[in-house]
Amino acid sequence: RIRRPENEADSFHAAISENPNNQPAAASSARHKRSVGSWQKFWGNGRVLNISFMAPVAADLEARVERLIRQWEPATNLSFNFDDKSAGDIRIFLGGDLNSSYLGTDALLAPLDAPTLNIAVEPDEPEFDLTVLHEFGHALGLQHEHLHPKANIPWDVAKLYDYYALHFAWTTEDVDHNILTPLTDDLLTGPYDKDSIMHYEVPNELTTEDWQVGVNTRISKLDRRNVRRAYPKP
């Protein structure tokens, strides 16, 4: 899940202070700026993004996670610096019971002794690599692709609530926020991309039509294009 900041106004000011381009050009009032999802949360252009692990990790596993995360780097104007000697801008914890990340600059609001990105999937599970790629996409400021305003997924809402309550102990609010509430059109969006690493799986049985999306395991071409637009190189 995307971790939400406690204060939306703080989230807005952190995003704009980090990168003035995060402010939507169409914003006409402070109220609009503070509405959910109405501003970007991308890191400052050309900056070094410091990344650390919150707890000791085996060297081979740390190297594996770094290789996965660096798959995003060539499409950005950022430099990824892995250093556990101090708290990073993005702080990774491997363990726990929830895969989650703050969205981009919201990580700046987290206490320095708390992780900003959590991977609960065990390294020997098939979903580990794709989960790291997905959660780090959020850490770069990318939203869920299934919330694209043109996705038009024919969810069976009642079944969806039951499914996520049973398997993940999600509340209806969790489902609404992470799956059902479309993004606003003023966010950075290209064409809708079923292949995006940021897209949840959509099982056919959770829709009202013959409609599904499988498990995406790689950063798609459109994912890379969106990141290049968010972090344009000189």
Side-chain angles (χ1 to χ4, degrees), residues 68-189:
L68 289 165
I69 287 175
R70 287 197 184 278
Q71 291 184 31
W72 286 105
E73 191 173 16
T76 75
N77 58 31
L78 305 172
S79 297
F80 296 171
N81 177 50
F82 285 80
D83 186 356
D84 293 334
K85 295 178 182 178
S86 59
D89 303 302
I90 297 174
R91 300 180 293 279
I92 301 170
F93 179 68
L94 303 181
D97 57 3
L98 183 67
N99 300 306
S100 63
S101 174
Y102 283 100
L103 189 65
T105 55
D106 280 345
L108 296 171
L109 304 176
L112 289 177
D113 60 351
T116 67
L117 188 158
N118 193 83
I119 304 295
V121 178
E122 294 293 333
D124 59 352
E125 294 185 49
E127 298 84 5
F128 181 83
D129 287 9
L130 70 90
T131 302
V132 173
L133 292 173
H134 178 97
E135 297 303 338
F136 199 81
H138 288 319
L140 289 175
L142 295 182
Q143 301 268 7
H144 284 132
E145 186 65 15
H146 50 272
L147 301 184
H148 192 289
K150 296 182 180 179
N152 297 320
I153 300 173
W155 292 109
D156 187 320
V157 176
K159 290 183 179 179
L160 191 67
Y161 285 148
D162 290 343
Y163 177 86
Y164 275 89
L166 176 64
H167 294 283
F168 302 102
W170 280 19
T171 65
T172 56
E173 182 184 17
D174 291 332
V175 175
D176 289 344
H177 180 74
N178 287 282
I179 301 180
L180 293 178
T181 305
L183 301 174
T184 55
D185 288 322
D186 60 356
L187 288 171
L188 175 77
T189 52

Side-chain angles (χ1 to χ4, degrees), residues 56-67:
V57 177
D60 58 340
L61 179 57
E62 186 168 333
R64 176 182 172 188
V65 173
E66 179 175 345
R67 285 196 301 270

